Amino acid sequence: MQLFLDTADIKQIREAVKLGVISGVTTNPSLVSKAGWAGDYKSAVQEICSLVKGPVSVEVLSQDAESMIDEARAIATWSPYVNIKIPVCAAGLEAISVLSTEKIKVNMTLCFSLNQALLGALAGATYVSSFVGRLDDVGQDGMELVAQIVQCLDHYKLPAQVIAASIRHPMHCVTAAKAGAHIATIPYSVLTQMINHPLTTAGIARFLEDSKQATGKG
Ligand code: E4P
């Protein structure tokens, strides 16, 4: 399973990239607003692309298919790493089906059902993003849906990759990997939590203490 970083915060992306475990980045309008990108949206995206050198999702804001396609074509010129995030809806599917014939990669977002994922994959989306945390929030099993989508796309040999999105904690990453998700897109805080374990921290402290005694420096 690959990991994408789910943020528009360039400082976080810079830190995460250093670890060598991040293959891409996903943004959305809420994350962009939170990161406080002032003015030049295009430059910020290009900076992220130059840091990550992997797929970077940028969401369209248009509502109708024709405008989505125009917006996607314009964003796709910003960097070869950019892919276009388009929400599941009739206009979105229409846009995806056109963009896929132009080799513009689409991350179909806001997916909350197997039917939506299937439609996105059939329309030609490169990624389908299944929102785990938001489904959990309304009392449905978000990760069970990820597992169903993985199984369905695999069964019908549809090439779309499944992104487990709306990840809230490290256990979501564990279950996403077990469900066979191709990618989990995770907030920086979850990446940090994945690294740390109290027994590792205690183990390092113990080894340091013991090494001082072994070398007579204690
Ligand atoms: C990523 O593609 C999604 O936009 C993101 O994971 C949504 O996360 P949230 O449900 O925590 O806002």
Side-chain angles (χ1 to χ4, degrees):
M1 183 175 77
Q2 290 189 330
L3 292 178
F4 287 1
L5 202 65
D6 194 23
T7 184
D9 184 319
I10 292 177
K11 197 162 157 259
Q12 289 182 349
I13 293 167
R14 198 170 282 128
E15 288 306 308
V17 162
K18 284 186 208 165
L19 302 177
V21 297
I22 296 299
S23 308
V25 162
T26 50
T27 68
N28 64 36
S30 308
L31 292 171
V32 168
S33 159
K34 195 169 149 199
W37 288 0
D40 198 351
Y41 197 67
K42 179 177 167 181
S43 298
V45 169
Q46 286 174 330
E47 187 177 350
I48 292 175
C49 291
S50 71
L51 289 169
V52 177
K53 295 186 174 58
V56 173
S57 294
V58 180
E59 193 151 344
V60 295
L61 299 173
S62 305
Q63 301 293 304
D64 64 277
E66 204 178 321
S67 309
M68 281 179 181
I69 293 165
D70 288 345
E71 195 181 346
R73 284 177 181 149
I75 294 171
T77 65
W78 294 356
S79 162
Y81 294 116
V82 160
N83 60 67
I84 312 300
K85 245 185 176 187
I86 295 185
V88 195
C89 55
L93 289 169
E94 190 180 331
I96 292 167
S97 69
V98 171
L99 294 167
S100 67
T101 65
E102 299 176 11
K103 306 271 182 278
I104 294 177
K105 291 184 176 176
V106 173
N107 174 356
M108 193 188 72
T109 190
L110 288 165
C111 180
F112 293 99
S113 75
L114 183 56
N115 280 336
Q116 290 179 326
L118 182 58
L119 291 169
L122 290 171
T126 300
Y127 307 103
V128 293
S129 284
S130 188
F131 277 41
V132 177
R134 292 193 197 187
L135 261 188
D136 289 355
D137 288 345
V138 296
Q140 293 180 40
D141 189 339
M143 208 55 82
E144 175 56 27
L145 176 60
V146 169
Q148 287 175 8
I149 297 170
V150 169
Q151 195 184 14
C152 173
L153 300 190
D154 185 55
H155 181 79
Y156 291 109
K157 300 194 175 11
L158 291 164
Q161 295 188 54
V162 181
I163 301 182
S166 189
I167 294 288
R168 302 277 168 80
H169 48 71
M171 273 312 290
H172 271 157
C173 292
V174 172
T175 45
K178 286 183 176 172
H182 302 92
I183 297 148
T185 188
I186 59 173
Y188 185 73
S189 57
V190 172
L191 176 63
T192 308
Q193 289 172 310
M194 286 170 75
I195 298 168
N196 295 323
H197 192 287
L199 292 178
T200 307
T201 310
I204 291 170
R206 168 83 69 86
F207 286 151
L208 276 176
E209 199 51 42
D210 290 348
S211 75
K212 281 184 203 159
Q213 289 181 9
T215 57
K217 290 178 185 163

